[in-house]
Amino acid sequence: MINDSQRWFWLMLFALSLVLFKLLSPVLAPFLLAALLAYIADPVVSWIESSGASRTLAVIIIFVVVLILLLFSLLILLPLLGRQLAQVPDHIAWLQGQVIPLLRPYLGEQVINEIAQIDVLASIQQHWQQAGDVMLQLIQQVTQSGAHLIAWMVNMLLVPVVSFYLLRDWDVLINRVHGLLPRDKEALISSLVMESHGVLGAFMRGQLLVMLVLTMLYALGLYWIGLDSFLLLAVVSGVVSFVPYLGLLVGVVFAGIAAYMQYETMLPVIQVLAIFGLAQIIEMVVLTPYFVGDRVGLHPVVVIFSIMAGGELLGFMGILLALPVAAVILVLLRSIKRHYLQSAVYDSSESG
């Protein structure tokens, strides 16, 4: 049993950890992001290592593959996305000229006039023209807040460096932490950690695969119907699908609008609905059960609330910590539930 002095010790340690965490939050963000990336990539590194390669070589292989994929994106995908983004002003002009007048009977004259006064196209074109002054603005930013810019660049460079060392020494670090656990609580803590690892690992890695497959399905479907901005819409819808059902909503709305603007008929819009509906069915029936599994147990409402609460409390770092904390809390609640169902409080007949 834990006596009063031990209880106060752990409470003080927990309070001190919270204070330090709050004070060091700006510095911790790149380290937490690096730890998250290392956690996701560790099974792949272990798989390469099992084939006979050293741990360091396995990590180098992962970094080379990721670098090649990034270069591929920069050389091929980004120019294509840039051309599709250049069509955004034309889409906005079409909305202002075609859609807004149709809403006049429903929104009223005053609302339509207020919307008409918002010249979105002119604002975008103005910023487009200012794009040539990016270097001048960057120089001004460096002279005005050079310390912040340098700190941001250092943080971005820290992420791959820290990820490399964490991946290389991952097993060593885990064993050292395991060796520091109190011996009388080692079995319980290890059990809870393994259960948390199962929940979080299955969700994070599975959800990333689901996002990737959905992006490919969206891109193929929208390309099949000939939508000019198919890649941009597919990438946006696939990325935001991390939040349950948000990718479906964003894709249907924006791809539907883009399809009608391009063809000015309802058939492509119906095809867009069919594409995203079919992708949603594939996600629910095949992708989520296969990649994520039923044992994860993170309800969509819990995921949405965790991300929003983490972002509100700690900003970007809170978003990084939202799902790991939610997974740990879920495991603790499951453990409490098991103990409760086995206790005399739940079934008083056991104490009789």
Side-chain angles (χ1 to χ4, degrees), residues 100-101 103-118:
I100 292 180
L103 300 177
R104 191 180 302 273
Y106 306 98
L107 299 180
E109 193 71 27
Q110 181 178 358
V111 176
I112 294 297
N113 291 335
E114 291 178 356
I115 295 176
Q117 292 176 2
I118 305 175

Side-chain angles (χ1 to χ4, degrees), residues 16 46 97 112 167 185 231 236-237 244 252 291 293 295:
L16 180 62
S46 299
I112 294 297
L167 270 175
K185 298 292 188 300
L231 184 60
V236 172
S237 302
V252 166
F291 290 131
R295 66 192 181 98

Side-chain angles (χ1 to χ4, degrees), residues 28-100:
L28 290 176
F31 291 91
L32 289 174
L33 181 58
L36 184 61
L37 295 175
Y39 175 79
I40 294 173
D42 176 65
V44 182
V45 174
S46 299
W47 177 74
I48 297 175
E49 188 181 9
S50 65
S51 64
S54 65
R55 182 81 182 181
T56 302
L57 178 60
V59 176
I60 292 174
I61 292 174
I62 292 296
F63 270 70
V64 170
V65 171
V66 172
L67 180 61
I68 292 174
L69 292 176
L70 288 176
L71 290 176
F72 174 79
S73 301
L74 291 174
L75 294 176
I76 299 179
L77 297 181
L78 286 184
L80 181 58
L81 285 173
R83 288 194 296 271
Q84 295 181 3
L85 283 171
Q87 300 173 358
V88 172
D90 296 333
H91 295 337
I92 294 176
W94 183 89
L95 285 172
Q96 289 180 330
Q98 302 292 329
V99 177
I100 292 180

Side-chain angles (χ1 to χ4, degrees), residues 72-273:
F72 174 79
S73 301
L74 291 174
L75 294 176
I76 299 179
L77 297 181
L78 286 184
L80 181 58
L81 285 173
R83 288 194 296 271
Q84 295 181 3
L85 283 171
Q87 300 173 358
V88 172
D90 296 333
H91 295 337
I92 294 176
W94 183 89
L95 285 172
Q96 289 180 330
Q98 302 292 329
V99 177
I100 292 180
L102 297 177
L103 300 177
R104 191 180 302 273
Y106 306 98
L107 299 180
E109 193 71 27
Q110 181 178 358
V111 176
I112 294 297
N113 291 335
E114 291 178 356
I115 295 176
Q117 292 176 2
I118 305 175
D119 197 345
V120 180
L121 181 59
S123 178
I124 292 179
Q125 289 175 341
Q126 179 182 0
H127 289 290
W128 228 266
Q129 294 170 356
Q130 292 175 353
D133 299 329
V134 169
M135 185 58 66
L136 177 60
Q137 295 176 6
L138 181 60
I139 295 175
Q140 293 175 349
Q141 183 71 15
V142 171
T143 57
Q144 295 173 2
S145 57
H148 294 288
L149 181 62
I150 293 173
W152 181 82
M153 294 176 63
V154 170
N155 287 339
M156 290 300 99
L157 292 175
L158 272 177
V159 172
V161 174
V162 175
S163 297
F164 177 86
Y165 286 110
L166 285 177
L167 270 175
R168 191 193 65 176
D169 302 328
W170 188 265
D171 295 335
V172 176
L173 294 173
I174 295 298
N175 291 331
R176 288 181 178 177
V177 173
H178 185 269
L180 296 175
L181 298 178
R183 294 298 92 189
D184 59 335
K185 298 292 188 300
E186 187 269 339
L188 175 61
I189 296 175
S190 297
S191 175
L192 293 175
V193 169
M194 289 303 298
E195 191 175 352
S196 301
H197 169 69
V199 172
L200 182 61
F203 182 84
M204 294 297 295
R205 299 184 188 102
Q207 192 62 44
L208 287 175
L209 289 173
V210 170
M211 291 165 56
L212 177 61
V213 175
L214 282 177
T215 301
M216 295 172 62
L217 290 176
Y218 295 153
L220 290 174
L222 296 178
Y223 176 78
W224 174 70
I225 66 174
L227 207 59
D228 293 336
S229 54
F230 73 96
L231 184 60
L232 176 63
L233 293 168
V235 170
V236 172
S237 302
V239 170
V240 300
S241 64
F242 187 79
V243 179
Y245 304 109
L246 183 59
L248 174 65
L249 179 62
V250 169
V252 166
V253 172
F254 288 98
I257 293 175
Y260 187 78
M261 289 168 54
Q262 181 174 334
Y263 294 102
E264 297 188 0
T265 61
M266 288 303 298
L267 179 59
V269 178
I270 297 174
Q271 291 174 330
V272 166
L273 293 174

